[in-house]
Structures are given as structure tokens and as C-alpha cells.
Amino acid sequence: MIGQGAVSATKTSVVMIGAGPAGLLLGRLLGLAGIDNVVLEQRTRQYVEERIRAGLLEHPTVEMLKFAGVADRLESNGQFDDGFELRFEGVRTWVPTADLTGGKQTVLYPQQEVVKDLLRARDDTGQPIVFEALDVALHDSDTERPRVTYRDPDGAEHAVEADFIAGCDGFHGPSRETIPARLRQEFQQDYPFGWLGILADVPPSTRELIYAHHDNGFAMHSRRSPTLSRLYLQVPPDTDAQEVSDRFIWDELQTRLGTQDDWTLAEGPILQKSVTAMRSFVVEPLQHGRVFLAGDAAHIVPPTAAKGLNLAVSDVSVLSEALIARYRGAGEELLAAYSTTALRRIWRAQEFSRHMTALLHHVPGSEFEARLQRARLQNLVKSEHTMAAFSELYVGLPFEGHPERFI
Ligand code: APR
Ligand code: PHB
């Protein structure tokens, strides 16, 4: 019984809700294994392709995108980093993350470019993707034949029946709610600050990333291209970006990034500015019946270590392995273990994201805490062991499952 009252009713093996990195990568990996799947996305293609977000790719993420055959542009246009610079009290310390992890580089490559590469790969295979799928609803998710219904922009009803539903619909999507409240645990922490991010029409004043701690707050210098700089400032969480003057932004960046040597920060026209709130969030478990959550639907990290996209990819690595194993006749053991397996790495990344956030941001109020924070920064720059442990988490822990076993 599918789609009572629906004008179209489709059957597939796996239906993904959401065409972000999680849903698109899962669809790609299932497709490579010959498993048919459908992606349903509420927004337009243009919106999805142009949504701008941080883009620091961990080493295992890059390896996964290569494995999925979607890394050609990333390899030619991405900016491969061997480490980053840490600044506090005007002193610069180079943290050689690649050397400390046996050569694992991180790559700056904008998230919307990853999405474009995945969409193009999907176009090439002709697998179905529906944009502007409105009022998406999940039905019978704890039965053998779950179903997803939606409306198209003309108001016609559609239904997709599948073996499994992947909830890749981000933090605000409907999938998480299919886990009954009595079985669902949500863990959340908000931070007393946000990030004001700017895009500036000026060549970066740095070859690699700079993270700075200052009594005025955190600052960061990233880059988007040889002529475009991306910079961030810690601000109060309720800041209205449009109310902050460009002069104030550059003055704060000059102060917080300032060094005792002759390094200078080049200024230029600010093309965009926006404020991001900071939150840590995890839901447990990641599964109910035949619905599996992956990516931002399951967790949110503060942006300091840019782990969001990478965690989505690691979830999908574990989930795709489990789904493909099931279709290869290897049973549902890995699927049953998905939530526990994925959560182990999710919590480790949560811990690192919070650690790096607490290490670098200024929390007014306690001078005792401020002294401890400085001691923690000293511990990091003075000890190669501490730096190596930090680097291992920064470049990305290995994934706990990988579809290569079955593809
Ligand atoms: N119906 C259909 N699609 C939906 C619905 C819905 N009701 N609700 C949300 N979506 C779509 C969103 O429009 C979005 O395109 O789900 C997609 C979720 O994608 P992302 O938010 O990119 O989440 P995810 O794929 O998990 O990627 C995680 O993206 O959020 C960033 O920084 C985060 O890097 C992280 C990465
Ligand atoms: C970014 O370029 O947007 C970026 C890079 C690294 C981070 C966070 C953001 O840790």
C-alpha cells in the first residue's frame, strides 16, 4: 500500500532525505555498489549549490571523496595544508600537523564545491533526485516497508516506498523526530559567543590558517582563493552583523591577530558579513526501525575545528558499509551496530571541537580560568607530544567503517 491519494508512487531501495553532503555522498556510494536510491530535497538545486559554509576537509574525508570518484576538482583547486599557525600573546607558533601525523594534510575546499561535485556525479549516473520536495513526511518507519511522502511545487502528492530511509536532512529536518521521545536522548550545549565571519576582497595575508587567542576574543584568518580572504572574530552571540562597522572589524582583526614581529594584515573591501551561533548537539540513538540519521540531523559541532562536514562523511562511511553489506547478503548486523559505531567517533569529535573552542575563545568572568587557559596554550606549544595528540584529532581520526570492503 503506497501513496494512497498520491499521483505518483515510486519504489526504491534507500531513500535519502536531504541533498547536503551526507545525503549526496550516501547516494553516490550506494550507487557505486549498484543499489538504487532516491534523494528528496526541499530546496532548489541553485540554493543547495550556493549555500556557503566552512570547508576544511580532514584527511580521511579527502580519501573518501577520492574513493567515491568525486575528488578531481578538489585535488586541483583545493589548498593542501601541512599545519596551521597558533597565535597568542603576540607570539606565533607553527603547528606541523602533517609532520606529526605521518603526512596527513588537511584541505581547504569550500563545502558548496563538494556538493557541486557530488551533484554532477549524480547527474552522470542519472539516479533520481527531487528538488523542491515539500512537506516531506516519514511513515511506517518501524515496519519492513517505510514510506516517504511529499508534495511538488504544483501541489501534487508523491510517495516513495523503500527498504530504508536515511535521515540526512540537517538539524531542522523531520527525520530525527521519528525516534519516539521516550527512546530519544538529546545532549546540547550552547556557547556564550558566536562568530562574525567576513569575506574580504583582498589577497590572504597568510599562506596557511591562523588561529589566534586574545583577551579581546578569538580571531581566525582563513582564505578562499588567491584574491579572497575569509576571517572570523569572536562576538557576543546576539550580534547583528550589519550593525558592526567595517572599521571596527578590521581594527579588531589587527589587534587580535597582531604579532610582535613585522607581520601585517592587508585590509580590503568586505563583501559579506554574517554571524554564526555556536552549539554542540548530539542525539542518541541514530536509528529507529528503518530510519538512520547521518550528518547534521544527528549532531552539531561548534565551527572552531570545522568538523561538521567531516563528521557527516564519517557517519556516511559507516552507514554505507552497513547498507551495502546488507544488500550483499551479509545480514543486518552492521546496520544494527550503526548507531553505536558512529556515535563513538561523533563523541570524540565533539570533545575535540569543544576543547579547541575552549582553548581559543575568551570567556569573561573568571581570571582563574583565563590563567588556566593560557597554561593550556603553553602546554600545547611547548610539548611535541601534546601537539601530536592535538594534530591527530585535527587531521581527523580514521573512520570506524568503510564501504571499500563491499564495493
Ligand atoms: N525535506 C527535504 N529536505 C530537507 C528537509 C525536509 N523537510 N529539511 C532539511 N532538508 C535538507 C536541507 O535543505 C539540506 O539541503 O536537508 C539538507 C541537509 O544538508 P546539510 O544541512 O548540508 O547537512 P548534512 O548533509 O548533514 O551536512 C553536514 O553541512 O550543515 C553543514 O556545517 C555542516 O558541514 C556540515 C555539513
Ligand atoms: C574556514 O575557512 O571557514 C574555516 C577553516 C578552518 C576552521 C574553521 C573555518 O577551523
Side-chain angles (χ1 to χ4, degrees), residues 26 54 76-77 80 93-94 151 161 193 198 207 225 228 249-250 255-256 267 273-274 326 332 380 389:
L26 183 59
S76 52
N77 301 347
F80 285 71
T93 303
W94 174 244
R151 255 185 334 99
E161 186 186 292
F193 40 76
I198 64 155
R207 221 176 51 76
S225 76
L228 283 178
I249 293 173
W250 285 117
T255 303
R256 300 185 195 183
E267 300 183 7
K273 47 186 171 185
S274 60
R326 150 72 166 70
E332 295 199 359
L380 180 61

Side-chain angles (χ1 to χ4, degrees), residues 155-228:
E157 302 267 343
H158 302 266
V160 183
E161 186 186 292
D163 298 328
F164 300 101
I165 299 174
C168 304
D169 43 357
F171 186 65
H172 301 287
S175 298
R176 194 167 60 246
E177 299 287 315
T178 61
I179 305 174
R182 71 196 149 78
L183 302 175
R184 192 170 71 219
Q185 269 188 294
E186 297 188 349
F187 304 87
Q188 178 161 336
Q189 187 182 66
D190 292 322
Y191 295 82
F193 40 76
W195 273 17
L196 172 69
I198 64 155
L199 190 66
D201 190 8
V202 59
S205 302
T206 176
R207 221 176 51 76
E208 313 221 340
L209 289 172
I210 305 171
Y211 297 95
H213 169 73
H214 189 277
D215 286 349
N216 287 12
F218 170 75
M220 182 180 164
H221 192 338
S222 183
R223 55 216 200 276
R224 287 294 176 265
S225 76
T227 58
L228 283 178

Side-chain angles (χ1 to χ4, degrees), residues 53-56 108 195 209 211 220 222-224 230 232 303-306 356 394:
R53 283 144 162 194
L56 182 69
L108 258 183
W195 273 17
L209 289 172
Y211 297 95
M220 182 180 164
S222 183
R223 55 216 200 276
R224 287 294 176 265
R230 177 87 172 141
Y232 299 97
T304 321
M356 190 164 166
Y394 183 82

Side-chain angles (χ1 to χ4, degrees), residues 18 20-22 41-43 51 53 111 136 168-169 174 295-296 308-309:
E41 165 59 50
Q42 69 177 356
R43 304 282 190 169
R51 190 165 38 195
R53 283 144 162 194
Q111 195 168 131
V136 163
C168 304
D169 43 357
D296 276 15
L309 167 73

Side-chain angles (χ1 to χ4, degrees), residues 123-141:
D123 291 341
D124 293 344
T125 64
Q127 280 181 318
I129 176 161
V130 181
F131 290 98
E132 296 182 86
L134 307 174
D135 297 337
V136 163
L138 297 84
H139 310 271
D140 306 330
S141 46

Side-chain angles (χ1 to χ4, degrees), residues 63-173:
E63 293 299 304
M64 171 54 84
L65 295 173
K66 284 190 204 165
F67 174 78
V70 291
D72 289 354
R73 284 196 325 128
L74 184 165
E75 287 187 279
S76 52
N77 301 347
Q79 304 175 68
F80 285 71
D81 284 357
D82 293 318
F84 62 81
E85 200 181 298
L86 188 61
R87 291 187 182 178
F88 65 101
E89 293 168 356
V91 177
R92 318 160 60 159
T93 303
W94 174 244
V95 182
T97 52
D99 280 353
L100 292 169
T101 54
K104 293 180 181 164
Q105 291 179 303
T106 46
V107 182
L108 258 183
Y109 185 65
Q111 195 168 131
Q112 67 274 21
E113 300 304 320
V114 174
V115 166
K116 277 184 209 156
D117 295 339
L118 285 163
L119 282 171
R120 281 186 205 168
R122 195 165 180 99
D123 291 341
D124 293 344
T125 64
Q127 280 181 318
I129 176 161
V130 181
F131 290 98
E132 296 182 86
L134 307 174
D135 297 337
V136 163
L138 297 84
H139 310 271
D140 306 330
S141 46
D142 50 0
T143 71
E144 292 278 295
R145 290 306 282 172
R147 218 162 32 98
V148 181
T149 55
Y150 65 94
R151 255 185 334 99
D152 66 30
D154 297 326
E157 302 267 343
H158 302 266
V160 183
E161 186 186 292
D163 298 328
F164 300 101
I165 299 174
C168 304
D169 43 357
F171 186 65
H172 301 287

